[in-house]
Amino acid sequence: MVSQIHSLNNVGQFDAVAPSGQLAFARMSIVYAENGRGKTTIAAILRSLSSGDPKMISDRHRVGAADSPHVVLQDLDGAQHVFQNGAWSVPLSDLVVFDDAFVAENICSGIEIEAGHRQNLHELILGAQGVALNAALQRNIACLLYTSDA
């Protein structure tokens, strides 16, 4: 879990930000601000840290910035997670960001309902045991389809 932001440089709204006070995250934190203040950028940074995918930050390289994005975050154990030269020093896989990207990937949203949305919605409703049972069911269905094609 991320406990603090040490610096945000050349990413999205953030040119060179280093919070002067103790801006600490709790086990569950809500980020709230006016439009255009960098909430989506912070969510993208955290999602990138969780997945290790540098594209989420690289795509938000600050317009007109000569230097590459550079981010320094700290976890609860005091370890620093640094995004530099297009990569994280160490990803933080137990971090979950519940933002619009999470909703789009896991829950039905918007006008269009695709099969993947329905599947993810059922998995969300059924819980861990239901997801495991569903995975076993899907493997059995795939096995049946494979044997019937042979």
Side-chain angles (χ1 to χ4, degrees):
M1 182 179 98
V2 172
S3 64
Q4 290 184 328
I5 296 174
H6 284 282
S7 65
L8 303 171
N9 299 297
N10 305 316
V11 58
Q13 288 282 95
F14 308 109
D15 183 23
V17 175
S20 57
Q22 290 294 328
L23 180 61
F25 288 98
R27 179 165 168 74
M28 184 171 102
S29 297
I30 297 173
V31 177
Y32 176 83
E34 297 172 329
N35 289 342
R37 297 294 181 192
K39 299 179 302 292
T40 304
T41 299
I42 290 173
I45 290 168
L46 295 175
R47 288 176 70 77
S48 173
L49 174 61
S50 175
S51 69
D53 181 1
K55 189 170 180 353
M56 294 178 213
I57 294 179
S58 300
D59 285 353
R60 293 181 171 278
H61 184 230
R62 185 171 172 78
V63 175
D67 295 325
S68 299
H70 182 259
V71 177
V72 180
L73 306 174
Q74 180 177 315
D75 67 23
L76 283 177
D77 297 326
Q80 286 196 346
H81 300 266
V82 179
F83 183 86
Q84 187 172 346
N85 300 322
W88 284 103
S89 58
V90 180
L92 190 61
S93 61
D94 65 347
L95 177 66
V96 180
V97 179
F98 297 102
D99 62 350
D100 57 342
F102 175 87
V103 171
E105 291 171 4
N106 296 284
I107 301 173
C108 174
S109 65
I111 297 171
E112 190 173 321
I113 301 173
E114 299 173 5
H117 288 128
R118 284 191 207 97
Q119 181 66 34
N120 290 335
L121 185 59
H122 289 291
E123 290 175 1
L124 178 68
I125 292 170
L126 295 172
Q129 183 181 13
V131 171
L133 290 170
N134 182 51
L137 174 64
Q138 296 304 321
R139 283 191 300 275
N140 289 334
I141 290 171
C143 183
L144 287 173
L145 291 175
Y146 176 75
T147 55
S148 67
D149 288 343

mmCIF file of all heavy atoms in Angstrom, residues 2-46:
data_model
loop_
_atom_site.group_PDB
_atom_site.id
_atom_site.type_symbol
_atom_site.label_atom_id
_atom_site.label_comp_id
_atom_site.label_asym_id
_atom_site.label_seq_id
_atom_site.Cartn_x
_atom_site.Cartn_y
_atom_site.Cartn_z
ATOM 1 N N VAL A 2 0.502 2.223 -0.772
ATOM 2 C CA VAL A 2 1.230 3.487 -0.831
ATOM 3 C C VAL A 2 0.897 4.299 0.417
ATOM 4 O O VAL A 2 -0.263 4.442 0.774
ATOM 5 C CB VAL A 2 0.854 4.283 -2.100
ATOM 6 C CG1 VAL A 2 1.452 5.671 -2.068
ATOM 7 C CG2 VAL A 2 1.297 3.540 -3.348
ATOM 8 N N SER A 3 1.916 4.822 1.060
ATOM 9 C CA SER A 3 1.675 5.649 2.239
ATOM 10 C C SER A 3 1.883 7.131 1.947
ATOM 11 O O SER A 3 1.230 7.970 2.560
ATOM 12 C CB SER A 3 2.566 5.213 3.402
ATOM 13 O OG SER A 3 3.929 5.411 3.091
ATOM 14 N N GLN A 4 2.797 7.447 1.013
ATOM 15 C CA GLN A 4 3.079 8.854 0.729
ATOM 16 C C GLN A 4 3.528 9.072 -0.707
ATOM 17 O O GLN A 4 4.129 8.187 -1.317
ATOM 18 C CB GLN A 4 4.199 9.383 1.635
ATOM 19 C CG GLN A 4 3.812 9.537 3.069
ATOM 20 C CD GLN A 4 4.953 10.147 3.869
ATOM 21 O OE1 GLN A 4 6.120 9.928 3.564
ATOM 22 N NE2 GLN A 4 4.615 10.909 4.886
ATOM 23 N N ILE A 5 3.247 10.265 -1.192
ATOM 24 C CA ILE A 5 3.797 10.733 -2.463
ATOM 25 C C ILE A 5 4.965 11.644 -2.108
ATOM 26 O O ILE A 5 4.792 12.619 -1.377
ATOM 27 C CB ILE A 5 2.753 11.517 -3.281
ATOM 28 C CG1 ILE A 5 1.599 10.605 -3.678
ATOM 29 C CG2 ILE A 5 3.406 12.163 -4.501
ATOM 30 C CD1 ILE A 5 0.447 11.336 -4.357
ATOM 31 N N HIS A 6 6.158 11.320 -2.603
ATOM 32 C CA HIS A 6 7.320 12.168 -2.344
ATOM 33 C C HIS A 6 7.517 13.188 -3.454
ATOM 34 O O HIS A 6 7.832 14.337 -3.168
ATOM 35 C CB HIS A 6 8.590 11.330 -2.174
ATOM 36 C CG HIS A 6 8.664 10.659 -0.851
ATOM 37 N ND1 HIS A 6 9.020 11.302 0.300
ATOM 38 C CD2 HIS A 6 8.399 9.386 -0.489
ATOM 39 C CE1 HIS A 6 8.990 10.463 1.319
ATOM 40 N NE2 HIS A 6 8.600 9.289 0.858
ATOM 41 N N SER A 7 7.335 12.760 -4.717
ATOM 42 C CA SER A 7 7.475 13.724 -5.804
ATOM 43 C C SER A 7 6.788 13.222 -7.070
ATOM 44 O O SER A 7 6.735 12.025 -7.333
ATOM 45 C CB SER A 7 8.950 14.036 -6.097
ATOM 46 O OG SER A 7 9.611 12.899 -6.580
ATOM 47 N N LEU A 8 6.267 14.179 -7.814
ATOM 48 C CA LEU A 8 5.642 13.938 -9.119
ATOM 49 C C LEU A 8 6.246 14.957 -10.072
ATOM 50 O O LEU A 8 6.068 16.161 -9.893
ATOM 51 C CB LEU A 8 4.124 14.136 -9.047
ATOM 52 C CG LEU A 8 3.352 13.294 -8.034
ATOM 53 C CD1 LEU A 8 1.911 13.767 -7.938
ATOM 54 C CD2 LEU A 8 3.410 11.838 -8.422
ATOM 55 N N ASN A 9 6.962 14.481 -11.070
ATOM 56 C CA ASN A 9 7.631 15.387 -12.009
ATOM 57 C C ASN A 9 7.303 15.020 -13.450
ATOM 58 O O ASN A 9 7.441 13.856 -13.847
ATOM 59 C CB ASN A 9 9.154 15.320 -11.813
ATOM 60 C CG ASN A 9 9.558 15.749 -10.420
ATOM 61 O OD1 ASN A 9 9.339 16.880 -10.035
ATOM 62 N ND2 ASN A 9 10.122 14.822 -9.667
ATOM 63 N N ASN A 10 6.877 16.030 -14.210
ATOM 64 C CA ASN A 10 6.667 15.912 -15.650
ATOM 65 C C ASN A 10 5.618 14.863 -16.028
ATOM 66 O O ASN A 10 5.766 14.166 -17.027
ATOM 67 C CB ASN A 10 7.986 15.603 -16.366
ATOM 68 C CG ASN A 10 9.039 16.621 -16.031
ATOM 69 O OD1 ASN A 10 8.776 17.814 -16.010
ATOM 70 N ND2 ASN A 10 10.238 16.158 -15.743
ATOM 71 N N VAL A 11 4.575 14.754 -15.225
ATOM 72 C CA VAL A 11 3.500 13.814 -15.532
ATOM 73 C C VAL A 11 2.161 14.525 -15.332
ATOM 74 O O VAL A 11 1.891 15.078 -14.270
ATOM 75 C CB VAL A 11 3.614 12.510 -14.701
ATOM 76 C CG1 VAL A 11 3.607 12.767 -13.217
ATOM 77 C CG2 VAL A 11 2.549 11.514 -15.073
ATOM 78 N N GLY A 12 1.360 14.542 -16.407
ATOM 79 C CA GLY A 12 0.036 15.171 -16.359
ATOM 80 C C GLY A 12 0.096 16.610 -15.893
ATOM 81 O O GLY A 12 0.890 17.400 -16.389
ATOM 82 N N GLN A 13 -0.734 16.942 -14.918
ATOM 83 C CA GLN A 13 -0.803 18.292 -14.359
ATOM 84 C C GLN A 13 0.446 18.665 -13.564
ATOM 85 O O GLN A 13 0.639 19.824 -13.230
ATOM 86 C CB GLN A 13 -1.988 18.388 -13.392
ATOM 87 C CG GLN A 13 -3.342 18.387 -14.043
ATOM 88 C CD GLN A 13 -3.645 19.739 -14.605
ATOM 89 O OE1 GLN A 13 -3.413 20.000 -15.786
ATOM 90 N NE2 GLN A 13 -4.162 20.620 -13.786
ATOM 91 N N PHE A 14 1.251 17.690 -13.212
ATOM 92 C CA PHE A 14 2.314 17.894 -12.242
ATOM 93 C C PHE A 14 3.661 18.147 -12.907
ATOM 94 O O PHE A 14 4.237 17.268 -13.531
ATOM 95 C CB PHE A 14 2.391 16.689 -11.306
ATOM 96 C CG PHE A 14 1.056 16.355 -10.693
ATOM 97 C CD1 PHE A 14 0.371 15.218 -11.085
ATOM 98 C CD2 PHE A 14 0.487 17.191 -9.747
ATOM 99 C CE1 PHE A 14 -0.869 14.914 -10.537
ATOM 100 C CE2 PHE A 14 -0.749 16.898 -9.189
ATOM 101 C CZ PHE A 14 -1.426 15.755 -9.588
ATOM 102 N N ASP A 15 4.162 19.373 -12.729
ATOM 103 C CA ASP A 15 5.446 19.763 -13.285
ATOM 104 C C ASP A 15 6.568 19.311 -12.351
ATOM 105 O O ASP A 15 7.404 18.503 -12.725
ATOM 106 C CB ASP A 15 5.479 21.278 -13.472
ATOM 107 C CG ASP A 15 6.751 21.776 -14.110
ATOM 108 O OD1 ASP A 15 7.428 21.000 -14.790
ATOM 109 O OD2 ASP A 15 7.067 22.962 -13.922
ATOM 110 N N ALA A 16 6.554 19.818 -11.139
ATOM 111 C CA ALA A 16 7.547 19.437 -10.130
ATOM 112 C C ALA A 16 6.876 19.581 -8.770
ATOM 113 O O ALA A 16 6.950 20.628 -8.144
ATOM 114 C CB ALA A 16 8.785 20.316 -10.226
ATOM 115 N N VAL A 17 6.213 18.540 -8.341
ATOM 116 C CA VAL A 17 5.451 18.579 -7.096
ATOM 117 C C VAL A 17 6.135 17.711 -6.056
ATOM 118 O O VAL A 17 6.415 16.536 -6.301
ATOM 119 C CB VAL A 17 4.003 18.081 -7.329
ATOM 120 C CG1 VAL A 17 3.243 17.995 -6.020
ATOM 121 C CG2 VAL A 17 3.287 18.973 -8.323
ATOM 122 N N ALA A 18 6.374 18.298 -4.901
ATOM 123 C CA ALA A 18 6.893 17.568 -3.749
ATOM 124 C C ALA A 18 6.106 18.082 -2.544
ATOM 125 O O ALA A 18 6.364 19.188 -2.061
ATOM 126 C CB ALA A 18 8.380 17.813 -3.567
ATOM 127 N N PRO A 19 5.106 17.335 -2.095
ATOM 128 C CA PRO A 19 4.276 17.814 -0.975
ATOM 129 C C PRO A 19 5.137 18.199 0.216
ATOM 130 O O PRO A 19 6.026 17.452 0.634
ATOM 131 C CB PRO A 19 3.389 16.612 -0.642
ATOM 132 C CG PRO A 19 3.368 15.795 -1.896
ATOM 133 C CD PRO A 19 4.700 16.015 -2.546
ATOM 134 N N SER A 20 4.881 19.400 0.747
ATOM 135 C CA SER A 20 5.694 19.889 1.868
ATOM 136 C C SER A 20 5.232 19.316 3.200
ATOM 137 O O SER A 20 6.020 19.134 4.103
ATOM 138 C CB SER A 20 5.647 21.420 1.913
ATOM 139 O OG SER A 20 4.299 21.844 2.017
ATOM 140 N N GLY A 21 3.953 19.017 3.337
ATOM 141 C CA GLY A 21 3.441 18.465 4.587
ATOM 142 C C GLY A 21 3.331 16.960 4.524
ATOM 143 O O GLY A 21 3.731 16.324 3.555
ATOM 144 N N GLN A 22 2.808 16.385 5.562
ATOM 145 C CA GLN A 22 2.600 14.943 5.621
ATOM 146 C C GLN A 22 1.277 14.612 4.944
ATOM 147 O O GLN A 22 0.227 14.636 5.577
ATOM 148 C CB GLN A 22 2.591 14.461 7.076
ATOM 149 C CG GLN A 22 3.943 14.528 7.744
ATOM 150 C CD GLN A 22 4.924 13.557 7.105
ATOM 151 O OE1 GLN A 22 4.550 12.502 6.624
ATOM 152 N NE2 GLN A 22 6.191 13.923 7.116
ATOM 153 N N LEU A 23 1.314 14.334 3.673
ATOM 154 C CA LEU A 23 0.139 13.931 2.913
ATOM 155 C C LEU A 23 0.158 12.414 2.833
ATOM 156 O O LEU A 23 0.721 11.828 1.919
ATOM 157 C CB LEU A 23 0.176 14.547 1.510
ATOM 158 C CG LEU A 23 -0.996 14.228 0.588
ATOM 159 C CD1 LEU A 23 -2.299 14.731 1.194
ATOM 160 C CD2 LEU A 23 -0.786 14.839 -0.768
ATOM 161 N N ALA A 24 -0.408 11.768 3.839
ATOM 162 C CA ALA A 24 -0.328 10.315 3.941
ATOM 163 C C ALA A 24 -1.617 9.663 3.467
ATOM 164 O O ALA A 24 -2.702 10.198 3.654
ATOM 165 C CB ALA A 24 -0.043 9.911 5.384
ATOM 166 N N PHE A 25 -1.471 8.497 2.839
ATOM 167 C CA PHE A 25 -2.607 7.690 2.439
ATOM 168 C C PHE A 25 -2.915 6.690 3.550
ATOM 169 O O PHE A 25 -2.005 6.202 4.220
ATOM 170 C CB PHE A 25 -2.310 6.914 1.147
ATOM 171 C CG PHE A 25 -2.274 7.778 -0.073
ATOM 172 C CD1 PHE A 25 -1.067 8.225 -0.585
ATOM 173 C CD2 PHE A 25 -3.446 8.126 -0.725
ATOM 174 C CE1 PHE A 25 -1.021 9.001 -1.723
ATOM 175 C CE2 PHE A 25 -3.412 8.912 -1.855
ATOM 176 C CZ PHE A 25 -2.205 9.352 -2.359
ATOM 177 N N ALA A 26 -4.179 6.369 3.705
ATOM 178 C CA ALA A 26 -4.605 5.325 4.637
ATOM 179 C C ALA A 26 -4.818 4.040 3.847
ATOM 180 O O ALA A 26 -4.635 4.016 2.627
ATOM 181 C CB ALA A 26 -5.895 5.737 5.332
ATOM 182 N N ARG A 27 -5.228 2.979 4.538
ATOM 183 C CA ARG A 27 -5.490 1.698 3.861
ATOM 184 C C ARG A 27 -6.486 1.906 2.732
ATOM 185 O O ARG A 27 -6.370 1.311 1.665
ATOM 186 C CB ARG A 27 -6.005 0.671 4.858
ATOM 187 C CG ARG A 27 -6.309 -0.655 4.246
ATOM 188 C CD ARG A 27 -6.451 -1.736 5.313
ATOM 189 N NE ARG A 27 -7.007 -2.954 4.806
ATOM 190 C CZ ARG A 27 -6.361 -3.820 4.034
ATOM 191 N NH1 ARG A 27 -5.139 -3.580 3.672
ATOM 192 N NH2 ARG A 27 -6.953 -4.914 3.618
ATOM 193 N N MET A 28 -7.470 2.746 2.948
ATOM 194 C CA MET A 28 -8.405 3.121 1.888
ATOM 195 C C MET A 28 -8.476 4.647 1.880
ATOM 196 O O MET A 28 -8.817 5.260 2.884
ATOM 197 C CB MET A 28 -9.800 2.553 2.143
ATOM 198 C CG MET A 28 -10.739 2.871 1.000
ATOM 199 S SD MET A 28 -12.301 2.015 1.134
ATOM 200 C CE MET A 28 -13.325 3.317 1.739
ATOM 201 N N SER A 29 -8.121 5.228 0.757
ATOM 202 C CA SER A 29 -8.118 6.680 0.622
ATOM 203 C C SER A 29 -8.981 7.089 -0.551
ATOM 204 O O SER A 29 -9.048 6.389 -1.557
ATOM 205 C CB SER A 29 -6.693 7.198 0.399
ATOM 206 O OG SER A 29 -5.892 6.921 1.513
ATOM 207 N N ILE A 30 -9.629 8.220 -0.408
ATOM 208 C CA ILE A 30 -10.447 8.783 -1.480
ATOM 209 C C ILE A 30 -9.790 10.085 -1.916
ATOM 210 O O ILE A 30 -9.459 10.931 -1.082
ATOM 211 C CB ILE A 30 -11.893 9.041 -1.000
ATOM 212 C CG1 ILE A 30 -12.547 7.714 -0.622
ATOM 213 C CG2 ILE A 30 -12.689 9.776 -2.058
ATOM 214 C CD1 ILE A 30 -13.901 7.854 0.028
ATOM 215 N N VAL A 31 -9.589 10.215 -3.217
ATOM 216 C CA VAL A 31 -9.002 11.432 -3.764
ATOM 217 C C VAL A 31 -10.141 12.253 -4.365
ATOM 218 O O VAL A 31 -10.874 11.780 -5.234
ATOM 219 C CB VAL A 31 -7.945 11.098 -4.842
ATOM 220 C CG1 VAL A 31 -7.387 12.370 -5.467
ATOM 221 C CG2 VAL A 31 -6.837 10.252 -4.240
ATOM 222 N N TYR A 32 -10.286 13.479 -3.883
ATOM 223 C CA TYR A 32 -11.379 14.347 -4.300
ATOM 224 C C TYR A 32 -10.817 15.726 -4.605
ATOM 225 O O TYR A 32 -10.023 16.265 -3.836
ATOM 226 C CB TYR A 32 -12.424 14.448 -3.180
ATOM 227 C CG TYR A 32 -13.545 15.392 -3.485
ATOM 228 C CD1 TYR A 32 -14.626 14.989 -4.258
ATOM 229 C CD2 TYR A 32 -13.525 16.700 -3.032
ATOM 230 C CE1 TYR A 32 -15.668 15.858 -4.555
ATOM 231 C CE2 TYR A 32 -14.548 17.578 -3.319
ATOM 232 C CZ TYR A 32 -15.610 17.152 -4.081
ATOM 233 O OH TYR A 32 -16.624 18.009 -4.385
ATOM 234 N N ALA A 33 -11.234 16.293 -5.735
ATOM 235 C CA ALA A 33 -10.822 17.651 -6.099
ATOM 236 C C ALA A 33 -11.674 18.117 -7.269
ATOM 237 O O ALA A 33 -12.419 17.329 -7.868
ATOM 238 C CB ALA A 33 -9.350 17.677 -6.473
ATOM 239 N N GLU A 34 -11.537 19.389 -7.605
ATOM 240 C CA GLU A 34 -12.227 19.940 -8.770
ATOM 241 C C GLU A 34 -11.718 19.269 -10.035
ATOM 242 O O GLU A 34 -10.634 18.684 -10.047
ATOM 243 C CB GLU A 34 -11.944 21.443 -8.876
ATOM 244 C CG GLU A 34 -12.461 22.263 -7.727
ATOM 245 C CD GLU A 34 -11.971 23.705 -7.818
ATOM 246 O OE1 GLU A 34 -10.857 23.953 -8.332
ATOM 247 O OE2 GLU A 34 -12.723 24.581 -7.368
ATOM 248 N N ASN A 35 -12.479 19.416 -11.110
ATOM 249 C CA ASN A 35 -12.032 18.904 -12.403
ATOM 250 C C ASN A 35 -10.725 19.579 -12.806
ATOM 251 O O ASN A 35 -10.500 20.752 -12.533
ATOM 252 C CB ASN A 35 -13.100 19.167 -13.474
ATOM 253 C CG ASN A 35 -14.312 18.296 -13.290
ATOM 254 O OD1 ASN A 35 -14.260 17.277 -12.603
ATOM 255 N ND2 ASN A 35 -15.414 18.682 -13.898
ATOM 256 N N GLY A 36 -9.864 18.802 -13.468
ATOM 257 C CA GLY A 36 -8.621 19.348 -13.985
ATOM 258 C C GLY A 36 -7.520 19.511 -12.953
ATOM 259 O O GLY A 36 -6.556 20.230 -13.194
ATOM 260 N N ARG A 37 -7.643 18.869 -11.815
ATOM 261 C CA ARG A 37 -6.642 19.029 -10.752
ATOM 262 C C ARG A 37 -5.659 17.861 -10.656
ATOM 263 O O ARG A 37 -4.753 17.890 -9.839
ATOM 264 C CB ARG A 37 -7.319 19.227 -9.399
ATOM 265 C CG ARG A 37 -8.148 20.467 -9.317
ATOM 266 C CD ARG A 37 -7.277 21.683 -9.411
ATOM 267 N NE ARG A 37 -8.091 22.881 -9.304
ATOM 268 C CZ ARG A 37 -7.659 24.075 -9.575
ATOM 269 N NH1 ARG A 37 -6.416 24.231 -9.989
ATOM 270 N NH2 ARG A 37 -8.435 25.104 -9.448
ATOM 271 N N GLY A 38 -5.851 16.782 -11.456
ATOM 272 C CA GLY A 38 -4.879 15.705 -11.485
ATOM 273 C C GLY A 38 -5.327 14.401 -10.846
ATOM 274 O O GLY A 38 -4.512 13.496 -10.657
ATOM 275 N N LYS A 39 -6.604 14.283 -10.523
ATOM 276 C CA LYS A 39 -7.098 13.034 -9.916
ATOM 277 C C LYS A 39 -6.879 11.842 -10.831
ATOM 278 O O LYS A 39 -6.408 10.791 -10.382
ATOM 279 C CB LYS A 39 -8.600 13.146 -9.591
ATOM 280 C CG LYS A 39 -8.970 14.234 -8.623
ATOM 281 C CD LYS A 39 -10.460 14.294 -8.390
ATOM 282 C CE LYS A 39 -11.291 14.520 -9.617
ATOM 283 N NZ LYS A 39 -11.184 15.817 -10.254
ATOM 284 N N THR A 40 -7.206 11.972 -12.099
ATOM 285 C CA THR A 40 -7.047 10.872 -13.049
ATOM 286 C C THR A 40 -5.572 10.546 -13.244
ATOM 287 O O THR A 40 -5.200 9.376 -13.373
ATOM 288 C CB THR A 40 -7.716 11.220 -14.385
ATOM 289 O OG1 THR A 40 -9.096 11.532 -14.131
ATOM 290 C CG2 THR A 40 -7.638 10.064 -15.365
ATOM 291 N N THR A 41 -4.721 11.548 -13.200
ATOM 292 C CA THR A 41 -3.284 11.315 -13.312
ATOM 293 C C THR A 41 -2.771 10.534 -12.101
ATOM 294 O O THR A 41 -2.003 9.577 -12.247
ATOM 295 C CB THR A 41 -2.515 12.648 -13.455
ATOM 296 O OG1 THR A 41 -2.957 13.294 -14.653
ATOM 297 C CG2 THR A 41 -1.015 12.431 -13.507
ATOM 298 N N ILE A 42 -3.222 10.901 -10.912
ATOM 299 C CA ILE A 42 -2.824 10.163 -9.705
ATOM 300 C C ILE A 42 -3.312 8.723 -9.792
ATOM 301 O O ILE A 42 -2.567 7.786 -9.489
ATOM 302 C CB ILE A 42 -3.324 10.867 -8.436
ATOM 303 C CG1 ILE A 42 -2.542 12.162 -8.236
ATOM 304 C CG2 ILE A 42 -3.198 9.957 -7.217
ATOM 305 C CD1 ILE A 42 -3.040 13.037 -7.112
ATOM 306 N N ALA A 43 -4.557 8.530 -10.246
ATOM 307 C CA ALA A 43 -5.080 7.166 -10.402
ATOM 308 C C ALA A 43 -4.240 6.384 -11.412
ATOM 309 O O ALA A 43 -3.923 5.211 -11.186
ATOM 310 C CB ALA A 43 -6.545 7.211 -10.832
ATOM 311 N N ALA A 44 -3.856 7.020 -12.511
ATOM 312 C CA ALA A 44 -3.026 6.345 -13.526
ATOM 313 C C ALA A 44 -1.658 5.980 -12.960
ATOM 314 O O ALA A 44 -1.130 4.898 -13.238
ATOM 315 C CB ALA A 44 -2.878 7.231 -14.763
ATOM 316 N N ILE A 45 -1.082 6.856 -12.162
ATOM 317 C CA ILE A 45 0.215 6.579 -11.535
ATOM 318 C C ILE A 45 0.088 5.364 -10.620
ATOM 319 O O ILE A 45 0.913 4.446 -10.665
ATOM 320 C CB ILE A 45 0.718 7.817 -10.754
ATOM 321 C CG1 ILE A 45 1.124 8.921 -11.731
ATOM 322 C CG2 ILE A 45 1.869 7.448 -9.826
ATOM 323 C CD1 ILE A 45 1.355 10.280 -11.083
ATOM 324 N N LEU A 46 -0.953 5.336 -9.801
ATOM 325 C CA LEU A 46 -1.145 4.224 -8.865
ATOM 326 C C LEU A 46 -1.450 2.919 -9.600
ATOM 327 O O LEU A 46 -0.952 1.858 -9.225
ATOM 328 C CB LEU A 46 -2.236 4.560 -7.854
ATOM 329 C CG LEU A 46 -1.910 5.727 -6.915
ATOM 330 C CD1 LEU A 46 -3.107 6.063 -6.042
ATOM 331 C CD2 LEU A 46 -0.670 5.451 -6.088
#
